Amino acid sequence: MQYCLQRCMFLLVLPLLLVAARPANAQMPGDPDTTFRYFKNASINAQPQYFSRQKGDSLVFEYEVKNAGKDEIADDEWTMRLMWQIPAKAKSFSLKAEDLSDARANYLVGCFCLGRGYYAINEGEISGIRSKNGVWQVHGSIQFQGRDDKYHSVDFSGNFLLVASEGEE
């Protein structure tokens, strides 16, 4: 009986030890990937049903959280992406309310779910400053009204790195 009790305790405690021993920055299966990036010589093409990045004369920022899902579960992958643009020569920016609309700020909910799609952003704030090495330090808090008529918030902060634009190496 005591052996069984010890064995059961070991089986209960082992998963806790494995989680506690995991480094804080370790990527676990099913954990989302977060990307902070920006593109130069780009702009946002705003269509009624979608937004896309194309060649242009602005800087386009993308904050993306992506989860590949689990192999054993069908259609559980998802992507959330916030995208906006600013003038190419800017060294800092602060976007609020109507500025977000002018910046073509949009949020993508990409999933096999009822709330999927693109949302134009016109509430919240996004601000950033470019460092000497070209990395943008950006933080923001935006809100959008989902198809469920509820307001959803997205808060983020990160260092946005330049990605080579199309045709560049």
Side-chain angles (χ1 to χ4, degrees):
M1 177 71 173
Q2 186 174 358
Y3 173 74
C4 181
L5 185 59
Q6 288 174 338
R7 191 172 191 189
C8 288
M9 286 299 291
F10 175 76
L11 292 175
L12 289 173
V13 173
L14 180 62
L16 294 174
L17 291 173
L18 292 174
V19 169
R22 172 184 148 194
N25 61 351
Q27 185 76 16
M28 296 294 288
D31 282 353
D33 292 321
T34 302
T35 306
F36 301 96
R37 60 186 172 209
Y38 73 96
F39 301 82
K40 63 182 184 175
N41 303 321
S43 67
I44 295 174
N45 178 15
Q47 298 295 319
Q49 298 297 317
Y50 70 93
F51 293 81
S52 61
R53 183 175 29 84
Q54 63 187 16
K55 286 186 176 188
D57 57 1
S58 300
L59 299 178
V60 172
F61 289 80
E62 290 182 359
Y63 161 61
E64 184 175 76
V65 181
K66 187 181 274 191
N67 190 324
K70 297 181 180 179
D71 290 340
E72 62 274 9
I73 300 174
D75 300 335
D76 67 330
E77 59 275 357
W78 53 265
T79 299
M80 310 296 182
R81 181 185 318 120
L82 175 62
M83 189 167 54
W84 69 95
Q85 67 184 25
I86 64 168
K89 302 262 186 217
K91 294 181 179 171
S92 66
F93 66 90
S94 180
L95 305 172
K96 299 177 187 173
E98 66 276 351
D99 298 334
L100 292 166
S101 180
D102 293 342
R104 298 180 182 165
N106 65 88
Y107 190 72
L108 166 67
V109 177
C111 61
F112 291 97
C113 59
L114 293 176
R116 69 182 172 265
Y118 289 88
Y119 298 88
I121 303 301
N122 52 25
E123 293 185 42
E125 181 177 358
I126 304 172
S127 58
I129 188 165
R130 187 178 69 194
S131 64
K132 290 180 182 179
N133 64 359
V135 174
W136 281 84
Q137 298 166 342
V138 180
H139 62 276
S141 178
I142 57 102
Q143 297 82 40
F144 66 93
Q145 187 174 6
R147 288 184 175 72
D148 56 4
D149 290 329
K150 295 180 182 175
Y151 280 87
H152 304 273
S153 295
V154 177
D155 300 317
F156 66 96
S157 182
N159 293 324
F160 285 69
L161 304 175
L162 176 64
V163 175
S165 297
E166 290 182 43
E168 294 182 9
E169 295 284 328

